[in-house]
Each structure stands twice: as C-alpha cells, then as structure tokens.
Amino acid sequence: MNFRAFSVSSILAAALAWTVFPSAAAHRLSSESSSALRCNVTNVALRLPANQTQLFQPNTTLSFLALAVGVQNYTCSNTSTWTNIGAVADLFDISCLANSLIFDAIPSITYCAWNSTPDLITPLDMISVFTGNPDVLGQHYYVPNPAGSGTSPKWDFTSAAYKGDSNAYVVGAKVGDLPAPDTKEDIDWVQLKSVEGELATVVYRTQTKGGQPPTSCTPGSALLSVKYTSQYWFFGSSLKKLHEKEEL
C-alpha cells in the first residue's frame, strides 16, 4: 500500500489522530486472549445541545460508543439537488476515551486525516496506520426498509465484535433530526429507534464532521460519495457484554 500520496496536512492530522487512538496494547486483553478490551460505559452521559427539542435523552443504559469513518452517498435528482441514498462506514470502539478531554473532538481530528486520505485507502487501512490493530466493532450501511418502502440504516456487529451472533445488529428509524451545531458542512445529528435487531433500542449520531454534498448538481451526474466521521451512541442492547474493563 502506497501512503506517499498523503499530503502534508494529512501527515499532521495523522500525528494528531495518534493522540486520539490509544495504542492497541492498551485495548487488548492478556496474551491468552485476542479479544478486544472495552471500557464500561453504563455511566457515560450523552451530551446534547441545549435549547432544542428535536433530540431527547434516552431512558435506558448506554451499551456501546463508536467512531464512524466512512462516506455519505448521494444521487442527483431531477431538481438538480443531491439526494441522500445511504452511507457506508466502519465503526471503531472509543469506549475507553469517553471521559477524556478530547472525546468530543475525536471525529473532527479523525476527519482531518480521513478527508486527506486517497480514495483507494479504506477507513480500516487509515486507522491501522495510527494504531496498528484497531478495535473494529462493526459496519454501518443501508438495507431495504423492513417495515415498508425505501431503505433503512443498519449498524452491524455480526462480522466483528460479535462475530457469529446473528442478532448483533440494529436497523433504525429516525425519530429526531437536528442540524449540526457548528457548521452547515456537517451532516445532521440524529436520534433513531430500533425496528429490528438486538444491538440497541436507541441510536444517536452526534459530533458529526463532513458528509454534506454541494448545493446543486447536474441531473445524470454520477453517484457522489462524501467523506464523514461521527460518534454513534448505542443504548439498551440486550446482547451479552464482552471483555469489558472496569468503569473508568
């Protein structure tokens, strides 16, 4: 893999991101086990913007915290505007950083590197450069809506953190949408309820960075993929907890 195409800015971002992701050794169990060591997040509080009613606090316990690194996908409509048709992202565990001073900035710092990374390099490739062995929770993508027409977002841990557990996923339906607090260039913060799966009963996307398309397009344009990062909060999982450290 050729990383020489990285710009100076991405190298700087990599140096910053190195401080965000603890070394793989800090997240691993003893040599007897290759399973990832995650931190207890049951007492971590979701931080939402004040003076808004679109998103509300959950009434259940936090189960997982993930950093998403991926793309938002768009197609050009007949009205010359981009329409979102889904997303694809890798999900990395950040549970042991929940109480750190840089926690809210993790997506922004990671985005600096991701947005400067050549398109042929995957999120896992990029994060692996920083950590050597990142803790991958799973993947995020879209599937046919199980309750009707269109597509729905899915967060899937069945091939990574809960490999082989067919219930380790959640398909969500949006119940709240809030424009990103910092800039219009960032995709919205959202709250979703589970309609299928046992990974969570409520999911939040927060601390978004990037992901927004240009304001207009020419009908017939090729599919557009826009890089983004965010935090995903998963509440109310009924899955058995795996290899969890003591609470921070």
Side-chain angles (χ1 to χ4, degrees):
M1 185 178 301
N2 182 7
F3 288 94
R4 294 179 181 176
F6 272 37
S7 66
V8 173
S9 62
S10 75
I11 294 173
L12 175 60
L16 292 172
W18 189 279
T19 68
V20 171
F21 293 94
S23 66
H27 285 275
R28 299 291 148 184
L29 289 171
S30 64
S31 58
E32 289 84 18
S33 172
S34 61
S35 298
L37 180 61
R38 304 185 184 101
C39 290
N40 186 327
V41 293
T42 55
N43 292 320
V44 176
L46 174 66
R47 295 181 285 275
L48 295 174
N51 302 317
Q52 56 84 27
T53 58
Q54 294 95 319
L55 309 181
F56 51 89
Q57 290 289 340
N59 59 4
T60 187
T61 304
L62 180 63
S63 303
F64 304 100
L65 272 173
L67 169 71
V69 183
V71 295
Q72 295 284 324
N73 294 319
Y74 298 88
T75 185
C76 186
S77 69
N78 292 332
T79 58
S80 299
T81 57
W82 291 106
T83 300
N84 187 278
I85 56 172
V88 177
D90 284 336
L91 304 172
F92 302 93
D93 179 65
I94 52 173
S95 61
C96 293
L97 296 169
N99 292 322
S100 68
L101 294 176
I102 60 170
F103 180 68
D104 288 346
I106 290 173
S108 294
I109 296 172
T110 307
Y111 180 80
C112 290
W114 178 228
N115 198 41
S116 301
T117 300
D119 290 341
L120 293 178
I121 295 176
T122 68
L124 180 58
D125 290 335
M126 185 194 72
I127 299 298
S128 295
V129 170
F130 305 147
T131 70
N133 193 15
D135 182 5
V136 180
L137 289 173
Q139 291 75 41
H140 171 46
Y141 52 92
Y142 275 60
V143 296
N145 183 351
S149 61
T151 59
S152 298
K154 181 176 182 176
W155 295 266
D156 185 352
F157 288 12
T158 63
S159 63
Y162 284 81
K163 188 173 183 179
D165 187 339
S166 61
N167 295 313
Y169 73 93
V170 59
V171 177
K174 187 165 62 176
V175 297
D177 189 303
L178 179 71
D182 294 333
T183 171
K184 293 181 179 179
E185 295 179 358
D186 301 335
I187 54 174
D188 291 357
W189 294 25
V190 295
Q191 178 178 347
L192 308 100
K193 65 178 182 180
S194 171
V195 296
E196 192 173 274
E198 297 181 5
L199 182 63
T201 57
V202 185
V203 180
Y204 295 81
R205 182 179 71 195
T206 68
Q207 304 299 338
T208 55
K209 188 65 179 178
Q212 290 283 23
T215 56
S216 63
C217 58
T218 301
S221 297
L223 177 74
L224 176 67
S225 293
V226 183
K227 290 182 176 181
Y228 88 106
T229 58
S230 73
Q231 291 176 2
Y232 282 109
W233 299 62
F234 301 91
F235 289 84
S237 176
S238 58
L239 299 174
K240 181 181 178 180
K241 291 292 168 48
L242 300 176
H243 311 297
E244 192 174 81
K245 275 179 61 175
E246 292 298 321
E247 182 182 340
L248 289 177

